[in-house]
Amino acid sequence: MKKHLLMALMAFFVLNAKAQNITPYSYYQYQKLNKSLYSLDTRFHTSLKPVIYDDTTLTRQLDSLLVIGTERTRNSWIGRKLFNEHLLEVNKEDYSFYLDFLPDFQIGRDKEHGITTWLNTRGYQLGGSIGKKFSFYSSGFENQSRFNNYLTKYINSIGVIPGMVNDKFGATKNTKDWAYATAVINYTPNKYISFTLGQDKNFIGDGYRSMLLSDVAAPYPFLKVTGTLGNVKYMAMWAQFQDPLSPSFSYDNGFRKKWGAFHYLDWNVNNRLSLGFFDSIIWQDADATGKRGFDPSYLNPVIFLRTVEGMNGSPDNALIGFTGKYKALSNLTIYGQAVADEFTAKEVFAGKGYWANKLAFQLGIKGFDAFKVAGLNYLAEFNTARPFTYSQRSSLLNYGHYAEQLAHPLGANFREFLTIWNYQISKWAFSAQANYANYGLDNGQNVGKDINESYETRAQQYGYKTGDGLKTNFMYLDGRVSYIINPKYNLRLEAGAIFRQEKNSLSNDRTTMVTFGLRSSFRNIYSDF
């Protein structure tokens, strides 16, 4: 039934469609638009990413990034394809199409652990539009890699490549092998509403991290409806997630499944101030008896999900949140988020460290043209989550997908400070990032950091503070220099250096490495955790 419904929806979009090219979300790509996105003269809905195509001005600006440095036209076919154009490109009055080969070849050295790292990725991207209302995008990657020591340990612990899929070889081999793909189709019949069907990621927020919904975990199937009326944009989304940590019913059934429903309203009060309101529900798919599955009570796109969850006897995981953005100066914006996963008001004010006061916060500033240097973008951000935030009775109900977090990659029970600076001049791009965090690791008891652990295994009811457990300090420094060969698919030569340290009373894990590569695509691959 689910497959037939999915096919019917896809057929509807294809047969009724006509739109603009889809640009996938990447922080390092989108931050180049800060001057337009956060100008005092504009009123974009900046917290919903990727961009939905009623923001036609923003779409044109995203497209303009794909022609930077292509002013010089090459005469030869090889020269044009290497420096100026997509590998295959068709532009007609009523449709367009492009196709690219995406290489991602990288070599590096993990100095402390004596490991030569490498990445061998062959990928593709294709996209296009039919008429003015229908657009599509797809990408796929076949990968082999030897990661540095801390990433190898992380992959072996959960069996998942960060942000992608399961490791084919498993912990028995240091070389990792995996493949994954994304696909999105978008139908925008008018300026008020847009439908998106995809296997991809979503992001809500104005920061580098999101405490509500981020692009940290693997791609997932979703149906998203977005409506715009005046200064208000509203999103309703239904998605299916997977849990490789729970025992499967059988090999034929694959990984256990769970569902999610999400609502988000973004209100641009004026050119300076924006407010957003978020709620979500996670519930597990069919149990061993085959009951429940997708719950139609969560289908209504304009109902408060927390109320429905209560009407269902409260079997599910509800989360509510708030976002805010204020353009304080012509080139500086203050933004923030607040999340309540579960809490009891009287316990919050009692100050006794009740375990179920599951709260998370974000506060940051970002801007452009720092120190009057045109194109110098900056961000400084603080994130924190109390113990047990995003966790539930089991990983089949937690706020996660594919053994990773749907929000922040550090899970819960942490405080984090980070700053990112980016600058591009012509085809040269520079970036610098610094993260510092402190958190409490489990040390014989569940202190609420790992969202995949059941909160029912907690040792006590009261006395929890952020950072409790094995007190750990984390530092991450990342610098990159790139020369962009072809901006159409972000083909670039890139050199980078990373320093990472995770230190506590039991260990001091350090990683110092340098990398060099020929890279492409716009995907985010996080390693700063």
Coordinates of all heavy atoms in Angstrom, one line a residue, residues 267-306:
W267 N 7.7 33.3 10.5 CA 7.0 34.5 10.3 C 8.1 35.7 10.3 O 8.8 35.9 11.3 CB 6.1 34.7 11.5 CG 5.4 36.1 11.5 CD1 5.0 36.9 10.5 CD2 4.9 36.8 12.7 NE1 4.4 38.0 10.9 CE2 4.3 38.0 12.2 CE3 5.0 36.5 14.1 CZ2 3.8 38.9 13.1 CZ3 4.4 37.4 14.9 CH2 3.9 38.6 14.5
N268 N 8.2 36.3 9.1 CA 9.0 37.5 9.0 C 8.2 38.7 9.5 O 7.4 39.3 8.8 CB 9.4 37.7 7.6 CG 10.5 36.8 7.1 OD1 11.3 36.3 7.9 ND2 10.5 36.4 5.9
V269 N 8.4 39.1 10.8 CA 7.6 40.2 11.4 C 7.9 41.5 10.6 O 7.0 42.3 10.3 CB 8.0 40.3 12.9 CG1 7.2 41.5 13.5 CG2 7.8 39.0 13.6
N270 N 9.2 41.7 10.3 CA 9.6 42.9 9.5 C 10.9 42.5 8.9 O 11.3 41.4 8.9 CB 9.6 44.2 10.3 CG 10.4 44.0 11.6 OD1 11.5 43.5 11.5 ND2 9.9 44.5 12.7
N271 N 11.6 43.5 8.3 CA 12.9 43.3 7.6 C 14.0 42.8 8.6 O 15.0 42.3 8.2 CB 13.3 44.5 6.8 CG 12.6 44.6 5.5 OD1 11.6 44.0 5.3 ND2 13.2 45.3 4.6
R272 N 13.8 43.1 9.9 CA 14.8 42.7 10.9 C 14.5 41.5 11.6 O 15.4 40.7 11.9 CB 15.0 43.9 11.9 CG 15.7 45.1 11.3 CD 15.9 46.2 12.4 NE 16.6 47.4 11.9 CZ 17.9 47.6 12.0 NH1 18.6 46.7 12.5 NH2 18.4 48.7 11.5
L273 N 13.2 41.3 12.0 CA 12.9 40.3 13.0 C 12.1 39.1 12.3 O 11.1 39.4 11.6 CB 12.0 40.9 14.1 CG 11.5 39.9 15.2 CD1 12.6 39.3 16.0 CD2 10.5 40.6 16.1
S274 N 12.5 37.9 12.7 CA 11.8 36.7 12.2 C 11.6 35.8 13.4 O 12.5 35.6 14.3 CB 12.5 35.9 11.1 OG 12.7 36.7 10.0
L275 N 10.4 35.1 13.5 CA 10.1 34.2 14.6 C 9.6 32.9 13.9 O 8.9 32.9 12.9 CB 9.0 34.7 15.5 CG 9.3 36.1 16.2 CD1 8.1 36.5 16.9 CD2 10.5 36.0 17.1
G276 N 10.0 31.7 14.5 CA 9.6 30.4 14.0 C 9.1 29.5 15.1 O 9.6 29.6 16.3
F277 N 8.2 28.7 14.8 CA 7.5 27.7 15.7 C 7.5 26.3 15.1 O 7.1 26.1 14.0 CB 6.1 28.2 16.0 CG 6.1 29.6 16.5 CD1 5.9 30.7 15.6 CD2 6.2 29.9 17.8 CE1 5.8 32.0 16.0 CE2 6.2 31.3 18.3 CZ 6.0 32.3 17.4
F278 N 8.0 25.4 15.9 CA 8.3 24.0 15.4 C 7.7 23.0 16.3 O 7.7 23.1 17.5 CB 9.8 23.8 15.3 CG 10.2 22.4 15.0 CD1 10.4 22.1 13.6 CD2 10.6 21.5 15.9 CE1 10.8 20.8 13.3 CE2 11.0 20.2 15.6 CZ 11.1 19.9 14.3
D279 N 7.1 21.9 15.7 CA 6.8 20.7 16.5 C 7.0 19.5 15.7 O 7.0 19.5 14.5 CB 5.4 20.8 17.1 CG 4.3 20.7 16.1 OD1 4.6 20.8 14.9 OD2 3.1 20.5 16.5
S280 N 7.2 18.4 16.4 CA 7.5 17.1 15.7 C 7.0 15.9 16.5 O 6.9 16.1 17.8 CB 8.9 16.9 15.3 OG 9.7 16.7 16.5
I281 N 6.8 14.8 15.9 CA 6.4 13.6 16.5 C 7.2 12.4 15.9 O 7.3 12.4 14.6 CB 4.9 13.3 16.4 CG1 4.1 14.2 17.2 CG2 4.6 11.8 16.8 CD1 4.1 14.0 18.7
I282 N 7.8 11.6 16.7 CA 8.4 10.4 16.2 C 7.7 9.2 16.8 O 7.4 9.1 18.0 CB 9.9 10.3 16.6 CG1 10.7 11.5 16.1 CG2 10.6 9.0 16.1 CD1 10.9 11.6 14.7
W283 N 7.3 8.2 15.9 CA 6.7 7.0 16.4 C 7.2 5.8 15.7 O 7.6 5.9 14.5 CB 5.1 7.1 16.3 CG 4.5 7.0 15.0 CD1 4.0 6.0 14.4 CD2 4.4 8.1 14.0 NE1 3.5 6.3 13.1 CE2 3.7 7.6 12.9 CE3 4.7 9.5 14.0 CZ2 3.4 8.4 11.8 CZ3 4.4 10.3 12.9 CH2 3.8 9.7 11.8
Q284 N 7.2 4.6 16.3 CA 7.8 3.5 15.7 C 6.8 2.8 14.7 O 5.6 2.9 14.9 CB 8.3 2.5 16.7 CG 7.2 1.7 17.4 CD 7.8 0.7 18.4 OE1 8.5 1.1 19.4 NE2 7.6 -0.6 18.2
D285 N 7.3 2.2 13.7 CA 6.5 1.4 12.7 C 6.0 0.2 13.4 O 6.0 0.0 14.6 CB 7.4 1.1 11.5 CG 6.6 0.9 10.3 OD1 5.3 0.8 10.4 OD2 7.2 0.8 9.2
A286 N 5.5 -0.7 12.5 CA 4.8 -1.9 13.0 C 5.7 -2.7 14.0 O 6.9 -2.8 13.8 CB 4.5 -2.8 11.8
D287 N 5.1 -3.2 15.0 CA 5.7 -4.1 16.0 C 5.7 -5.5 15.4 O 5.3 -5.8 14.3 CB 5.1 -4.0 17.3 CG 3.6 -4.3 17.4 OD1 3.2 -5.0 16.4 OD2 2.9 -3.9 18.3
A288 N 6.1 -6.5 16.3 CA 6.2 -7.9 15.9 C 4.9 -8.5 15.4 O 4.8 -9.4 14.6 CB 6.8 -8.7 17.0
T289 N 3.8 -7.9 15.9 CA 2.4 -8.3 15.5 C 1.9 -7.7 14.2 O 0.9 -8.0 13.8 CB 1.4 -8.1 16.6 OG1 1.3 -6.7 16.8 CG2 1.9 -8.7 17.9
G290 N 2.7 -6.7 13.7 CA 2.3 -6.0 12.5 C 1.3 -4.9 12.7 O 0.8 -4.4 11.7
K291 N 1.1 -4.4 13.9 CA 0.1 -3.4 14.2 C 0.7 -2.0 14.0 O 1.9 -1.8 14.1 CB -0.5 -3.6 15.6 CG -1.3 -4.8 15.7 CD -1.8 -5.0 17.2 CE -2.6 -6.2 17.3 NZ -3.2 -6.4 18.7
R292 N -0.1 -1.1 13.9 CA 0.1 0.4 13.8 C 0.7 0.8 12.5 O 0.0 1.1 11.6 CB 0.9 0.9 15.0 CG 0.7 2.4 15.1 CD 1.1 3.0 16.4 NE 0.7 4.4 16.5 CZ 1.4 5.4 17.1 NH1 2.4 5.1 17.8 NH2 0.9 6.6 17.1
G293 N 2.1 0.9 12.4 CA 2.7 1.5 11.2 C 2.4 3.0 11.1 O 2.4 3.7 12.1
F294 N 2.1 3.4 9.9 CA 1.9 4.9 9.7 C 0.6 5.3 10.4 O -0.4 4.6 10.2 CB 1.8 5.2 8.2 CG 1.7 6.7 8.0 CD1 2.8 7.5 8.0 CD2 0.5 7.3 7.8 CE1 2.7 8.9 7.8 CE2 0.3 8.7 7.7 CZ 1.5 9.5 7.6
D295 N 0.6 6.3 11.2 CA -0.5 6.7 12.0 C -1.2 7.9 11.3 O -0.7 9.0 11.2 CB -0.1 7.2 13.4 CG -1.2 7.4 14.3 OD1 -2.4 7.7 13.9 OD2 -1.1 7.2 15.5
P296 N -2.5 7.6 10.7 CA -3.2 8.7 9.9 C -3.6 9.9 10.8 O -3.9 10.9 10.3 CB -4.4 8.0 9.4 CG -4.6 6.8 10.2 CD -3.2 6.4 10.7
S297 N -3.6 9.7 12.1 CA -3.9 10.9 13.0 C -2.9 12.0 12.9 O -3.2 13.1 13.3 CB -4.1 10.4 14.4 OG -2.9 9.9 14.9
Y298 N -1.7 11.7 12.4 CA -0.7 12.8 12.2 C -0.7 13.4 10.8 O 0.2 14.1 10.4 CB 0.7 12.2 12.5 CG 0.8 11.8 14.0 CD1 1.3 10.6 14.3 CD2 0.5 12.7 15.0 CE1 1.5 10.2 15.6 CE2 0.7 12.3 16.3 CZ 1.1 11.1 16.6 OH 1.3 10.7 17.9
L299 N -1.7 13.0 9.9 CA -1.7 13.5 8.6 C -2.1 14.9 8.4 O -1.7 15.6 7.5 CB -2.6 12.6 7.7 CG -2.0 11.4 7.1 CD1 -3.1 10.5 6.4 CD2 -0.9 11.7 6.1
N300 N -3.0 15.4 9.3 CA -3.4 16.8 9.2 C -2.3 17.8 9.3 O -1.5 17.8 10.3 CB -4.4 17.1 10.3 CG -5.2 18.4 10.1 OD1 -4.6 19.4 9.7 ND2 -6.5 18.3 10.4
P301 N -2.0 18.6 8.2 CA -0.8 19.4 8.2 C -0.9 20.7 9.1 O 0.1 21.4 9.2 CB -0.8 19.8 6.7 CG -2.2 19.8 6.3 CD -2.8 18.7 7.0
V302 N -2.1 21.0 9.6 CA -2.2 22.2 10.4 C -2.7 22.0 11.8 O -3.2 22.9 12.5 CB -3.2 23.2 9.7 CG1 -2.6 23.7 8.4 CG2 -4.6 22.6 9.5
I303 N -2.4 20.8 12.4 CA -2.8 20.5 13.7 C -1.6 20.5 14.6 O -0.5 20.2 14.2 CB -3.6 19.2 13.8 CG1 -4.4 19.1 15.1 CG2 -2.6 18.0 13.7 CD1 -5.4 18.0 15.1
F304 N -1.8 20.9 15.9 CA -0.7 20.9 16.9 C -0.4 19.4 17.2 O -1.2 18.7 17.9 CB -1.1 21.7 18.1 CG 0.0 21.9 19.0 CD1 1.3 22.3 18.6 CD2 -0.2 21.7 20.4 CE1 2.3 22.5 19.5 CE2 0.9 21.9 21.3 CZ 2.1 22.3 20.9
L305 N 0.8 18.9 16.9 CA 1.1 17.5 17.0 C 1.1 17.0 18.4 O 0.7 15.9 18.8 CB 2.4 17.2 16.3 CG 2.5 17.3 14.8 CD1 3.9 17.2 14.3 CD2 1.6 16.3 14.2
R306 N 1.5 17.9 19.4 CA 1.6 17.5 20.8 C 0.2 17.1 21.3 O 0.0 16.2 22.1 CB 2.1 18.7 21.6 CG 2.3 18.3 23.1 CD 3.4 17.3 23.2 NE 3.7 16.9 24.6 CZ 3.0 16.0 25.3 NH1 2.1 15.3 24.7 NH2 3.3 15.7 26.6

